[in-house]
Amino acid sequence: MVDAVRTFVRRSVLPVASELEHADTYPADLVAAMADMGLFGCTIPPEYGGLGLDVTTYARVVEELSAGWMSLTGVMNTHTMAATLIRLHGTEDQKDRLLPRMATGEARGALSLSEPDAGSDTRNISCRAQPDGDEYVIDGTKMWVTNGERAGIVALAARTPEGITCFIVEKEPGPSYEGITVSRAISKLGYKGLETVEMSYAGHRVPAGSVLGGTENLGRGLPQILSALELGRVNIAARACGVARAAFEAAIAYAQQRQTFGSPIAAHQAIQFKLADMGTRLEAARLLTASAAAKLDAGERADVEAGMAKLFASEAALEIATESMRIHGGVGYTTDLPIERYYRDAPLMIIGEGTNEIQRMVIARGLLRRYRTG
Ligand SMILES: Cc1cc2nc3c(=O)[nH]c(=O)nc-3n(C[C@H](O)[C@H](O)[C@H](O)COP(=O)(O)OP(=O)(O)OC[C@H]3O[C@@H](n4cnc5c(N)ncnc54)[C@H](O)[C@@H]3O)c2cc1C
């Protein structure tokens, strides 16, 4: 699978990635090819039509895609998290009905937790789902919904009388559907080619059966969503590894070709030290990511490990992309090479799936629990 994705990236992604990215064009053909390869069903079990890959293989697939174009992993990530939420917590009916359509990519998924006034502070969300007979009426504004417009299934956090509840909202892809409107397309520094949107809900009605896992899970939305965030953080760590690897490999190749003062710049110790630090950080990032993925594969709680992998790999990607630009000199600053794209894509990973400040809080909390003395 990893080899197949690597070949796909070499043949089909690399030749078009920068052009599509600069034009901020949705990569419809690449997404269709990813669906044909079964990538939308990566972690969905075979009985629902998915590939049933373990997290370790999934992380390697994500790294390969991201080394070609990081945005392609964004097309998959919240889809995979929504599918994971349904797989882990859904009713039999939700699993039987939704997972097969998600596995083929026929129905694409999104995860909608953040709001204009609630990003890190998820408990502060104000989107409401008001009970009305055997339905709920949803009102509010959600922010940063990646894949929101093209999604047919949105895992949505909304406030009910019991607390925060996760609803599986089924909609038609497009700018508006029965009270759901894409109220703004957010323009971004990088991570282009796929939509990240603000979505407004005004009187959108869902049946009570759309509560994730059934109405006995009213008020249990946050722990449900947090359980899928561990996989999301491994995804972010793996994409950071992909961007870091691409930036490092470009730098180490260029350093051996570019001559200054009569020798390749790779002969200068200042450049060698950069390459040594970049290679070491990349290797450490990949090992931490593999270790977090292995823990999830073993069925263990991996909040600390997934947080460490996400924290370290994203900071490494940011540094390696910057150092790669330095090593490339002026040409690294142009749009002739993909270095500027790595440099613009890397910062997303320090913010997405919980900022690195929040990541440190999660890690510290977990470590203090693990090493409790009193
Ligand atoms: C391109 C993009 C795509 C996204 N896609 C999605 C998506 O599909 N679905 C979704 O639900 N969300 C998505 N997000 C939202 C993302 O998860 C949030 O942006 C992120 O969690 C940070 O929230 P915030 O932007 O509100 O920042 P804030 O929470 O306002 O934080 C601002 C700053 O304060 C720091 N901070 C906050 N609280 C603390 C604290 N207690 N201690 C120390 N520092 C603190 C933060 O680390 C940060 O540096 C996306 C974001 C981006 C940029």
Side-chain angles (χ1 to χ4, degrees):
M1 195 67 211
V2 177
D3 285 346
V5 174
R6 190 177 300 143
T7 305
F8 164 67
V9 166
R10 196 181 59 243
R11 288 200 189 136
S12 307
V13 177
L14 288 174
V16 296
S18 283
E19 194 183 328
L20 290 173
E21 203 266 353
H22 289 150
D24 203 359
T25 301
Y26 179 71
D29 292 347
L30 297 179
V31 173
M34 286 162 62
D36 286 346
M37 292 170 79
L39 295 184
F40 289 104
C42 260
T43 60
I44 296 176
E47 63 262 37
Y48 298 108
L51 296 177
L53 299 183
D54 58 16
V55 182
T56 300
T57 313
Y58 171 65
R60 293 192 58 198
V61 163
V62 169
E63 180 185 321
E64 293 302 328
L65 278 177
S66 185
W69 184 13
M70 196 271 279
S71 293
L72 295 180
T73 64
V75 176
M76 277 169 64
N77 184 34
T78 50
H79 169 92
T80 306
M81 287 168 71
T84 301
L85 280 172
I86 295 168
R87 174 170 62 84
L88 292 178
H89 307 289
T91 60
E92 289 310 314
D93 172 63
Q94 287 167 343
K95 289 194 251 191
D96 290 343
R97 224 161 34 74
L98 303 175
L99 289 180
R101 291 172 54 220
M102 296 182 88
T104 58
E106 176 202 331
R108 298 261 313 281
L111 176 67
S112 188
L113 179 60
S114 305
E115 295 184 1
D117 292 320
S120 307
D121 191 2
T122 46
R123 280 167 305 182
N124 199 34
I125 66 167
S126 60
C127 178
R128 293 202 170 271
Q130 207 56 40
D132 183 19
D134 56 0
E135 290 185 326
Y136 281 82
V137 184
I138 303 178
D139 288 285
T141 302
K142 299 305 262 188
M143 184 74 175
W144 307 113
V145 195
T146 301
N147 302 312
E149 183 165 341
R150 289 182 176 84
I153 294 167
V154 181
L156 173 89
R159 201 167 276 287
T160 56
E162 299 79 4
I164 294 173
T165 296
C166 183
F167 289 88
I168 302 298
V169 174
E170 295 177 55
K171 70 177 187 66
E172 291 296 327
S176 69
Y177 175 75
E178 294 184 359
I180 309 174
T181 314
V182 173
S183 35
R184 183 157 74 96
I186 299 166
S187 172
K188 295 165 288 188
L189 170 69
Y191 200 38
K192 290 177 190 276
L194 82 166
E195 81 272 17
T196 303
V197 298
E198 181 188 89
M199 286 175 84
S200 302
Y201 291 74
H204 177 70
R205 288 181 170 270
V206 293
S210 67
V211 172
L212 178 63
T215 46
E216 59 268 36
N217 285 297
L218 283 163
R220 296 211 62 253
L222 273 187
Q224 287 175 331
I225 292 172
L226 289 180
S227 71
L229 276 184
E230 289 180 12
L231 184 68
R233 284 172 185 159
V234 170
N235 174 298
I236 300 283
R239 3 174 151 169
C241 290
V243 171
R245 194 182 89 197
F248 171 74
E249 287 178 352
I252 200 161
Y254 186 76
Q256 294 169 78
Q257 290 150 16
R258 176 71 177 169
Q259 304 263 334
T260 66
F261 303 96
S263 57
I265 58 172
H268 306 313
Q269 197 178 53
I271 300 294
Q272 287 179 2
F273 280 13
K274 283 186 192 300
L275 292 171
D277 286 347
M278 291 159 80
T280 305
R281 287 201 178 102
L282 172 59
E283 183 68 7
R286 296 185 77 207
L287 289 171
L288 277 174
T289 305
S291 160
K295 203 141 192 224
L296 281 177
D297 280 333
E300 292 172 40
R301 186 165 178 193
D303 54 342
V304 172
E305 286 71 18
M308 285 176 169
K310 190 273 189 192
L311 169 65
F312 188 89
S314 59
E315 297 290 349
L318 197 59
E319 281 176 35
I320 292 170
T322 308
E323 289 299 85
S324 183
M325 185 172 285
R326 285 180 198 262
I327 288 174
H328 281 83
V331 75
Y333 195 66
T334 69
T335 51
D336 295 345
L337 293 182
I339 314 304
E340 56 85 29
R341 173 158 60 85
Y342 308 146
Y343 182 82
R344 286 183 293 106
D345 277 348
L348 173 67
M349 271 84 75
I350 63 170
I351 299 167
E353 306 301 325
T355 66
N356 280 0
E357 289 75 17
I358 298 298
Q359 230 51 240
R360 286 183 171 92
M361 288 162 56
V362 171
I363 295 166
R365 231 183 352 249
L367 289 174
L368 286 166
R369 200 171 48 233
R370 211 174 271 179
Y371 289 86
R372 183 169 291 143
T373 55

